[in-house]
C-alpha cells in the first residue's frame, strides 16, 4: 500500500490536545496529582498565593478547553484546570479503583484538592463538569467557597428529547464526522475555533470510562453561594425551565450555545464570575 502510514488515533488526539494547549498563556504549569482513583493531569496558571479557582470541563472535553478564559481568570486567581478522570485527556484512571458513583467523584475531588494543597476553592463547572461540581457541593460543600455552573446538565432539569435524538448516533458510535456534525447543529453553525473543534472530534477514538450519571436531584438546596449561567441559544435542555428552577441564581447569557459556551464567553467569564 502506498502513501504515508496512518497516524494512530491516540496520537491524533494528543497532537490536537497540544495545539489547543499552545493557546494557553506563557507561564502555564502542568501538574500530575496522584489520587486513589488515578493520576490527574492539571493545568495551573496565576499567582500561587491568589484565591484558587477549580475549573471542571464538560463530558468529552479536557482541561485545555478553557484557553479562551484562563488569561482573564488568572489575573486575580490561581486557576486549576484538570482533565477529568475517565474522560479524554492526560489523566490516567486507576485500573483497580474506577469511579463508579457520586461518592467516588467526591473522593477524587477531595484527593485532588489535597494534592494541590488547596483547603477550599471557588468551583466552576461546565455541562457534565457542572453536574460533578453541583453533586460535590450538595454533599456538604465544606471545601467549596463559591459555585458557578455553566449550563449545567441534569442539575435542575433533564435533557431535551430533541437533543438526545440528535446526539444518539454520536453516542452509539462516535466518529469525528458525527461529532463535527452534532456540534455544528447544537452551536447553530457558529464559527468555532478550528483547533478546539479538531480536539473534540479526535476524542471519538479516546478510550474512556463510563461516566457517572443520574437524574436531577430531588433537592437543589446548596449550603454555598451559587450562580447558574445558562446558554441562551443552547439546545441541551429547556433553558426557561432551568432558569425558573434555579431562581435568582440564574442568568441567561444570550448568543451562547451549550457545547461552545467556554469559547463563546471568552474573557467575559471572568466578569460574570466577579
Amino acid at each position: 500500500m502506498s502513501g504515508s502510514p496512518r497516524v494512530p488515533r491516540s496520537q491524533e488526539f494528543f497532537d490536537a490536545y497540544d495545539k489547543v494547549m499552545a493557546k494557553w498563556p506563557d507561564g502555564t504549569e502542568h501538574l500530575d496529582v496522584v489520587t486513589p482513583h488515578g493520576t490527574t493531569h492539571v493545568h495551573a496558571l496565576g499567582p500561587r498565593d491568589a484565591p484558587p479557582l477549580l475549573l471542571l470541563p464538560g463530558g468529552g472535553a479536557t482541561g485545555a478547553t478553557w484557553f479562551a478564559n484562563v488569561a482573564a481568570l488568572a489575573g486575580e486567581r490561581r486557576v486549576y484546570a484538570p482533565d477529568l478522570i475517565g474522560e479524554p485527556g492526560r489523566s490516567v484512571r486507576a485500573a483497580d479503583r474506577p469511579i463508579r458513583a457520586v461518592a467516588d467523584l467526591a473522593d477524587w475531588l477531595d484527593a485532588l484538592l489535597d494534592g494541590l494543597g488547596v483547603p477550599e476553592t471557588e468551583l466552576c463547572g461546565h455541562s457534565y463538569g457542572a453536574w460533578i461540581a453541583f453533586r460535590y457541593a450538595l454533599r456538604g460543600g465544606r471545601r467549596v467557597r463559591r459555585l458557578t455552573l455553566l449550563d449545567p446538565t441534569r442539575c435542575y432539569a433533564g435533557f431535551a428529547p430533541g437533543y438526545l435524538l440528535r446526539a444518539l448516533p454520536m453516542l452509539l458510535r462516535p466518529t469525528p464526522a458525527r461529532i463535527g456534525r452534532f456540534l455544528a447543529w447544537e452551536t447553530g453553525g457558529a464559527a468555532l475555533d478550528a483547533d478546539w473543534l479538531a480536539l473534540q472530534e479526535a476524542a471519538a477514538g479516546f478510550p474512556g470510562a463510563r461516566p457517572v450519571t443520574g437524574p436531577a436531584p430531588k433537592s437543589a438546596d446548596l449550603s454555598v453561594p451559587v450562580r447558574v449561567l445558562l446558554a441562551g441559544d443552547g439546545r441541551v435542555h429547556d433553558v426557561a425551565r432551568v432558569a425558573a428552577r434555579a431562581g435568582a441564581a440564574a442568568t441567561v447569557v444570550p448568543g451562547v450555545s451549550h457545547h461552545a459556551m467556554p469559547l463563546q464567553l471568552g474573557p467575559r467569564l471572568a466578569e460574570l464570575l466577579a
Side-chain angles (χ1 to χ4, degrees), residues 91-243:
S91 293
V92 180
R93 65 185 186 273
D96 60 343
R97 192 139 177 214
I99 293 178
R100 292 176 172 167
V102 174
D104 296 331
L105 286 170
D107 290 342
W108 166 67
L109 275 173
D110 279 335
L112 176 60
L113 292 174
D114 287 342
L116 292 171
V118 175
E120 65 174 15
T121 183
E122 183 178 357
L123 184 57
C124 174
H126 170 234
S127 189
Y128 178 57
W131 183 86
I132 295 173
F134 186 77
R135 289 284 184 164
Y136 183 66
L138 276 178
R139 290 178 65 85
R142 62 184 178 84
R143 304 185 72 162
V144 181
R145 189 164 50 84
R146 188 170 65 165
L147 181 67
T148 301
L149 308 175
L150 305 182
D151 217 38
T153 52
R154 292 192 173 186
C155 294
Y156 299 94
F159 291 112
Y163 174 86
L164 291 177
L165 187 63
R166 284 274 189 167
L168 191 59
M170 178 189 67
L171 296 174
L172 291 176
R173 189 168 68 87
T175 67
R178 286 183 174 185
I179 291 174
R181 286 195 297 269
F182 176 76
L183 289 175
W185 168 76
E186 198 283 322
T187 60
L192 302 173
D193 182 272
D195 294 328
W196 174 86
L197 183 58
L199 178 57
Q200 298 302 113
E201 293 176 346
F206 196 91
R210 187 171 185 174
V212 176
T213 60
K218 295 180 180 179
S219 172
D221 293 332
L222 296 166
S223 59
V224 298
V226 60
R227 187 165 191 190
V228 182
L229 301 178
L230 299 173
D233 292 348
R235 303 188 182 193
V236 68
H237 43 214
D238 185 329
V239 176
R241 184 181 183 191
V242 175

Side-chain angles (χ1 to χ4, degrees), residues 47 50-51 72-78:
L73 291 172
E76 298 180 354
R77 299 173 177 86
R78 174 68 169 173

